[in-house]
Amino acid sequence: MTKAQSLFSLTRDIRTRLFISVLIVYVYFINGFNSPNEGSRLALIMAIVEQQSFKINDFMEWTWWIDYSEYPPGSGNYYSDKGPGLSFLGIPFYFLGKFVAYRLYSDPLLVNGTLASFVVLCGSIFTVLSVVVVFEFCKLLEINEKTSLLTALSYAFGTIAFVYGKTFFAHGTSAFLLISAAYLTVHYFQNGRKDSTKVFLAGLALGYSVCIDYQNVLALPPILAFYAFKREFRKLLLFLVPYLACLGLLAWYHFVIFDSPFSTPYMYTGYYGEVQSFQAFSYPMYLGLWGLLFSTYRGLFYFSPFLLFTAYGFVLFFRRYPQEAIWFASTFLLMLFVLSVYVVWHGGGAYGPRLLLSVIPFIVVPIGILLDTPHIANNRWFQVIFFGTLAYSIFTIATGAVTDPVPFPWTPNPFLEYNLPLLIGGNLDSALFKYISPYTIILVPILLLVVNLRQIHLLKLRNKLLDTINAFRKALP
């Protein structure tokens, strides 16, 4: 088989086509950075690459003088106020961006915009990988392929994964690592408990997720309980080795910067004083729960009402896989309840409950089980209600994703009051759309068609093209 034939066969694989298709949509709507959150992470990348340091003094403009830490306080020494994990992952993309930017442009604004876009590509790729893992997880739970694909696409475009899949926020990558740890663990138990490598990789994924976003440590207790229920205590130790190694890496980073492995950037943040102590977890829980789930401000079910079907999905999930269902529900609920008492539960400038994105895959998979239950999925009223709410979810999510993923934090209803007017006005948040041509948007359906079309005439065209290439090669001296 030639290289061209191998590439064509690869694009026929449904996982590959799913990955490429979702990535095309996400990447088209990349437009550099939208917030100091992303800029703080880029500042750390630039400090590491350009100065071999964690100190971001020379790159503070990227933080907007908002998202940073200062240690010792008042010293004028500045650091990123985020976990370093995503910045570490973004380093290769920064190098690639430098390679391209400095060969195309001399204008510093264009160079910086190109660098930012390439770094954002890192977040997009990992978010899209989380979509693929949701698809594979559904198949692992013996959900048919079409339903697994529908579930994965619902997650990709019907939840805030789309909104933050075009940014350098930590949440999409966190979602990939958390659901990957779950997938690898379940795969190990469902395949004869033979491949211990999957247990090790699961621990690595979950451990590194903490390096990216500290709140991901909340995913540890439910998975530990799952291993305990399965009476796999030796494998639990194997799981903990890479997990603790990642925490060791994080502790070393803290020690280098703050002189203590137990100090975090949030203890020395220069702008958000309310997150510096345990008083940060003093918000009334009932208000936080309402805000995170139902409010027009950040409500998960307001922006993605199709996710309400996860309630019934968990009932069916529990009937088939009771321990896995308890684990998934516990992971989501633990994160939800802790964030509900966090004073910054809303995530500042955000479209939807961005702090919950890392655990949204855990409530999407049960919907796949619901859709795979014939007497429910074939009910006409169910179809009308489900696909109606899914269509609304896709519209509200796309409205935020294609306009501005970081609306002003003081907007009570970002969808209706800010992002929808932007959409109606044709203000799309895409570098290609804004700075090259609005007509570039036609590339999206064309590329999707090319990736997914499998008609016989395309196969014939491919064969003719390969024959022409081979004939040309033979004619060469």
Side-chain angles (χ1 to χ4, degrees), residues 29 44 56 66 108 140 142 148 195 207 227 258 267 325 390 398 426 440:
F29 290 102
L44 177 56
I56 64 171
I66 294 177
L140 183 64
E142 300 180 340
S148 298
D195 190 357
Y227 275 95
F258 305 119
M267 295 179 179
L390 178 59
T440 55

Side-chain angles (χ1 to χ4, degrees), residues 259-302:
D259 299 321
S260 170
F262 305 108
S263 295
T264 70
Y266 290 109
M267 295 179 179
Y268 305 100
T269 182
Y271 188 82
Y272 297 106
E274 67 267 32
V275 302
Q276 290 181 336
S277 69
F278 284 105
Q279 291 180 352
F281 298 92
S282 59
Y283 195 77
M285 180 179 288
Y286 72 96
L287 290 178
L289 289 174
W290 173 261
L292 286 168
L293 295 178
F294 300 106
S295 72
T296 60
Y297 185 46
R298 295 289 183 268
L300 178 66
F301 300 127
Y302 173 74

Side-chain angles (χ1 to χ4, degrees), residues 358-424:
S358 61
V359 291
I360 286 179
F362 288 83
I363 63 172
V364 170
V365 171
I367 293 178
I369 294 177
L370 177 67
L371 295 174
D372 195 51
T373 305
H375 74 275
I376 297 174
N378 295 331
N379 182 280
R380 183 172 299 179
W381 284 109
F382 171 82
Q383 293 175 350
V384 169
I385 298 172
F386 177 79
F387 287 105
T389 56
L390 178 59
Y392 171 85
S393 301
I394 292 172
F395 179 70
T396 56
I397 292 300
T399 298
V402 307
T403 54
D404 185 356
V406 190
F408 301 113
W410 53 82
T411 307
N413 188 334
F415 168 53
L416 291 179
E417 297 177 15
Y418 179 71
N419 293 86
L420 187 58
L422 286 178
L423 180 65
I424 294 172

